[in-house]
Amino acid sequence: MASITLDQIRHAYNPNPVSDADYALREVDHEWVDGGAYALLGPSGCGKTTLLNIISGLLHPSHGRILFDGKDVTGLSTQARNIAQVFQFPVIYDTMTVYDNLAFPLRNRKVPEAEVDRRVREMLDIIDLADWSKRKARGLTADQKQKISLGRGLVRNDVNAILFDEPLTVIDPHMKWVLRSQLKRLHKKFGFTMVYVTHDQTEALTFADKVVVMFEGQIVQIGTPAELFEKPRHTFVGYFIGSPGMNIMPVRLEGSAVLLGQERLDLVAAASVNPADRLELGIRPEFIRLGQSGLPVTVTRVEDIGRRKIVRAELQGQPIAAVVNEDTEIPTDAHVSFDPAGLNLYANSWRVEERA
Amino acid sequence: MNKTYNNKAWFFVLPVLLLVAFSAAIPLMTVVNYSVQDTFGNNEFFWAGTDWFDEILHSDRFWDALGRNLFFSFIILAIEIPLGIFIALNMPKKGIGVPVCLVLMALPLLIPWNVVGTIWQVFGRVDIGLLGRTLASLGIDYNYVRDPLDAWITVIVMDVWHWTSLVVLLCYAGLVSIPDAYYQAAKIDGASRWAVFRYIQLPKMKRVLLIAVLLRFMDSFMIYTEPFVVTGGGPGNSTTFLSIDLVKMAVGQFDLGPAAAMSIVYFLIILLLSWVFYTVMTSSDAEEGGRDHG
């Protein structure tokens, strides 16, 4: 197991990148702590898989260095880096038995057969496939196949890190929970450094200690699920995480306050804003109170999502969403008020931090 | 839901039935007709029963030709399949090389069979052919008209040149359908080049390889045009395959009865061998499929 340091990694698939737009990865500087569970979250095409493949050595970055425990491995092959990776679609060796699939990475590394047998049997128990060991791997279900892929990584007990590239995409929803909790248990047991790529926020938030949110080739925020929820550093994080996402409304600066349409809101953060910046106010639907006082809104739609309701409304011509309890009554002339703790101010899409 | 039964559907099948009847069934029946009768022309026929079949099945000439044919098919498969796989593995997967290679590979397949024969017939000639003259000037005694071994080599090399591309193209199609993740996973698992071939590429190519083997077997077993143009079955009878022998008998000697009997035997052999090939291949597939769910 190792800590992984990304030192100013940039990558372009195009051999002669000119502008930032040519880069699939713009600049990534980050350290993954030994034994951490990280989720790499972002929409399709944001560079998640590129970053993962750079860590595993399947791709060579255009610029920058990768360090494992402080040792430069940028020039090393995938094999030499000693990484395990689980792919989106289960990769298994069809013609081999389940047992041979698990033994394959060990046999390739010339591990003595007695040791291979011991480790494969142990792994078969861990991934609950002991009864299937003599079966050809091709007939298994998708989740069993994915377990084999995982097992092939874990069976080499000296791997530096295990990388997951959206491994649960093809798994049935109910099996996802099972596999995810199994994976969490394994992580606790073995303590490997784990990087988990996904575009599913639930998966990322339930799974990882730290979530790394990527957008357009850069990391926009690294934080615990709570941090991502309460203080999204970028409007994209606000919008991408949460269901429904954060309400983002354009505002104007006026002294130490901001103007939302005609309404004046006092914000501490407003003091540190450059007046030339494009300003937006962000508030999560969970922080909006619906009642008789506050800003007048026109309710357009109410969606019942079980124990809570999503209220879609218009505020000063802007669509907003609010999440309220199931039994909340929706008044005819509705007003909303904002919980000050949930207000975030964004200048050019980046969160304005309050000055200490 | 009620199913509607509509016998009009048969009308749509009718044209194909007619076509197959005229192109295959009726000619085949004519051959059957000839195979059990004797004729001396004038449209006079005499019942011969199974005499012709007896004669054919007891003639060395037939068994020799059959032996040559089987040996030829065996050599063709033994060379073209591995060679085709090897070339397909080494073809570029992307870039400008792909269309270039594909066109180059497709070229021999586009040439009419008798032209292929003529090309090699001229190419190998000792007096004017590029190959023949070159070999002669190197001091190699090569003459496909005189030497049976040289004739065999020429016919085999010609077939390899003509048909390996087919195997290459089929294998290539199988190879490009393998997702990158397989190669990446193999790298991570530390697989050697051989292991990648053995456990990823070969299994993925299996289906197309079965087709390739079947096609190459049937075609090489029925080969006629190219060796006929190059060697005419000679020297002696050394490259007289079943089809060449059949034409000699039917058109050259006008022995319609024995020729018809031979046609039928020939047809049944091809049918039988193709069926055996097909059954072996699909059953190995089904067996694994059965184990999948069993």
Side-chain angles (χ1 to χ4, degrees):
Chain A
M1 306 296 148
S3 70
I4 301 170
T5 312
L6 303 176
D7 181 15
Q8 297 182 333
I9 296 286
R10 283 158 77 81
H11 186 75
Y13 286 101
N14 173 343
N16 301 306
V18 192
S19 68
D20 267 358
D22 290 338
Y23 283 93
L25 272 187
R26 287 217 216 135
E27 173 145 348
V28 175
D29 249 320
H30 182 53
E31 180 165 352
W32 318 82
V33 177
D34 188 2
Y38 295 92
L40 212 52
L41 180 66
S44 303
C46 71
K48 311 180 293 269
T49 300
T50 306
L51 185 58
L52 203 67
N53 286 344
I54 286 175
I55 297 173
S56 64
L58 295 170
L59 265 181
H60 197 265
S62 312
H63 306 278
R65 296 185 310 152
I66 304 149
L67 309 154
F68 283 6
D69 279 338
K71 200 166 92 8
D72 191 339
V73 296
T74 320
L76 292 186
S77 71
T78 304
Q79 240 174 302
R81 288 186 197 189
N82 212 1
I83 283 275
Q85 189 165 354
V86 179
F87 295 89
Q88 183 168 5
F89 297 99
V91 175
I92 50 146
Y93 304 104
D94 287 339
T95 51
M96 293 189 206
T97 61
V98 172
Y99 183 98
D100 289 336
N101 258 281
L102 294 175
F104 190 62
L106 298 177
R107 286 178 179 153
N108 285 332
R109 287 173 174 77
K110 310 268 181 283
V111 175
E113 198 58 31
E115 174 71 5
V116 170
D117 189 64
R118 193 185 62 75
R119 280 207 239 161
V120 169
R121 283 183 192 288
E122 188 188 20
M123 190 46 59
L124 281 167
D125 285 332
I126 291 173
I127 60 175
D128 288 334
L129 285 176
D131 299 340
W132 299 72
S133 67
K134 293 279 174 280
R135 296 275 290 263
K136 290 258 183 196
R138 68 187 285 183
L140 304 184
T141 58
D143 54 282
Q144 288 171 323
K145 287 181 180 176
Q146 204 57 303
K147 281 192 203 169
I148 295 179
S149 306
L150 173 66
R152 276 209 319 269
L154 290 177
V155 79
R156 291 152 48 199
N157 48 16
D158 57 340
V159 288
N160 282 321
I162 302 193
L163 312 178
F164 296 86
D165 190 356
E166 309 200 19
L168 300 182
T169 311
V170 294
I171 309 295
D172 288 342
H174 71 283
M175 277 313 293
K176 276 189 190 180
W177 286 102
V178 178
L179 279 186
R180 212 181 297 158
S181 44
Q182 242 174 2
L183 207 52
K184 263 193 131 158
R185 219 178 53 231
L186 290 177
H187 178 248
K188 280 216 184 76
K189 182 171 173 193
F190 290 100
F192 43 81
T193 311
M194 184 159 75
V195 182
Y196 189 101
V197 163
T198 178
H199 61 254
D200 179 341
Q201 49 165 316
T202 327
E203 218 167 278
L205 297 175
T206 55
F207 190 78
D209 315 332
K210 285 240 170 154
V211 178
V212 178
V213 184
M214 290 190 69
F215 179 56
E216 289 184 340
Q218 43 189 335
I219 293 178
V220 284
Q221 186 166 9
I222 300 167
T224 61
E227 285 167 347
L228 297 180
F229 186 78
E230 286 159 14
K231 293 187 164 47
R233 270 192 62 214
H234 189 275
T235 49
F236 171 76
V237 180
Y239 148 82
F240 195 69
I241 289 176
S243 173
M246 190 181 236
N247 296 299
I248 313 253
M249 295 163 284
V251 290
R252 277 177 299 127
L253 187 68
E254 197 186 79
S256 63
V258 292
L259 280 183
L260 173 63
Q262 319 303 328
E263 301 297 330
R264 206 181 140 84
L265 294 166
D266 289 310
L267 281 181
V268 188
S272 27
V273 169
N274 176 354
D277 289 345
R278 184 170 49 83
L279 290 185
E280 283 160 313
L281 188 69
I283 182 159
R284 290 210 175 267
E286 289 81 357
F287 290 102
I288 296 182
R289 310 259 170 278
L290 202 63
Q292 309 285 357
S293 60
L295 311 171
V297 292
T298 325
V299 175
T300 50
R301 201 149 47 95
V302 178
E303 295 164 23
D304 205 325
I305 50 165
R307 292 180 49 209
R308 301 209 283 176
K309 282 191 273 201
I310 301 173
V311 179
R312 307 271 180 190
E314 254 181 40
L315 169 67
Q316 309 275 359
Q318 294 286 326
I320 62 162
V323 172
V324 295
N325 282 332
E326 185 183 34
D327 48 1
T328 307
E329 208 143 302
I330 317 279
T332 35
D333 61 330
H335 289 69
V336 292
S337 53
F338 299 147
D339 182 343
L343 280 177
N344 291 285
L345 187 63
Y346 292 93
N348 293 334
S349 300
W350 291 93
R351 186 171 189 275
V352 180
E353 307 294 338
E354 288 112 39
R355 276 189 207 146
Chain B
M1 204 183 93
N2 281 327
K3 243 186 199 169
T4 42
Y5 288 93
N6 188 343
N7 283 324
K8 273 186 216 150
W10 289 107
F11 284 108
F12 297 104
V13 189
L14 203 61
V16 174
L17 281 179
L18 281 174
L19 209 65
V20 172
F22 275 102
S23 67
I26 293 175
L28 192 65
M29 284 308 116
T30 325
V31 173
V32 172
N33 196 25
Y34 276 116
S35 71
V36 292
Q37 299 187 77
D38 197 2
T39 177
F40 305 102
N42 300 333
N43 240 351
E44 284 177 83
F45 288 94
F46 303 93
W47 180 250
T50 57
D51 288 359
W52 299 134
F53 289 95
D54 272 349
E55 188 184 316
I56 287 298
L57 293 176
H58 289 102
S59 80
D60 290 342
R61 180 175 157 180
F62 171 77
W63 290 108
D64 286 350
L66 177 62
R68 275 192 290 271
N69 226 151
L70 286 172
F71 186 56
F72 178 74
S73 290
F74 171 77
I75 291 186
I76 289 302
L77 289 180
I79 296 177
E80 289 181 9
I81 299 295
L83 184 63
I85 294 174
F86 178 77
I87 295 176
L89 286 176
N90 288 292
M91 265 170 66
K93 297 281 180 296
K94 54 187 165 210
I96 183 72
V98 176
V100 171
C101 281
L102 287 180
V103 168
L104 279 179
M105 283 295 145
L107 270 182
L109 300 174
L110 295 173
I111 301 174
W113 299 5
N114 53 350
V115 176
V116 172
T118 312
I119 290 174
W120 281 84
Q121 200 260 343
V122 175
F123 186 48
R125 275 174 67 162
V126 185
D127 50 351
I128 57 166
L130 181 63
L131 177 70
R133 284 294 292 265
T134 311
L135 288 176
S137 66
L138 288 174
I140 296 166
D141 181 27
Y142 165 84
N143 189 334
Y144 66 78
V145 186
R146 207 180 54 219
D147 186 282
L149 183 64
D150 290 350
W152 266 81
I153 291 172
T154 311
V155 172
I156 286 168
V157 171
M158 173 174 66
D159 198 87
V160 168
W161 176 83
H162 192 180
W163 286 114
T164 305
S165 306
L166 181 74
V167 183
V168 173
L169 293 179
L170 284 170
C171 289
Y172 187 70
L175 282 176
V176 293
S177 70
I178 302 176
D180 271 349
Y182 277 83
Y183 295 113
Q184 296 174 341
K187 252 194 215 172
I188 286 163
D189 289 336
S192 62
R193 183 73 195 80
W194 164 252
V196 169
F197 174 70
R198 171 69 187 79
Y199 297 112
I200 297 175
Q201 292 171 323
L202 198 58
K204 295 280 168 194
M205 274 195 292
K206 194 176 145 205
R207 274 160 202 279
V208 285
L209 265 182
L210 300 184
I211 303 288
V213 169
L214 194 63
L215 283 179
R216 284 317 299 133
F217 168 73
M218 288 193 304
D219 265 352
S220 62
F221 199 71
M222 296 189 298
I223 192 164
Y224 173 74
T225 318
E226 302 99 310
F228 179 76
V229 174
V230 176
T231 63
N237 274 334
S238 60
T239 56
T240 300
F241 300 117
L242 280 175
S243 58
I244 295 180
D245 200 24
L246 183 62
V247 172
K248 271 188 193 165
M249 197 185 287
V251 184
Q253 300 158 223
F254 222 71
D255 284 336
L256 292 183
M262 185 174 160
S263 300
I264 288 171
V265 174
Y266 191 10
F267 170 68
L268 291 178
I269 292 173
I270 291 190
L271 200 64
L272 178 74
L273 287 175
S274 297
W275 178 77
V276 168
F277 265 88
Y278 186 78
T279 324
V280 168
M281 290 162 176
T282 47
S283 73
S284 76
D285 227 37
E287 192 189 332
E288 278 168 42
R291 232 180 285 148
D292 288 358
H293 311 287

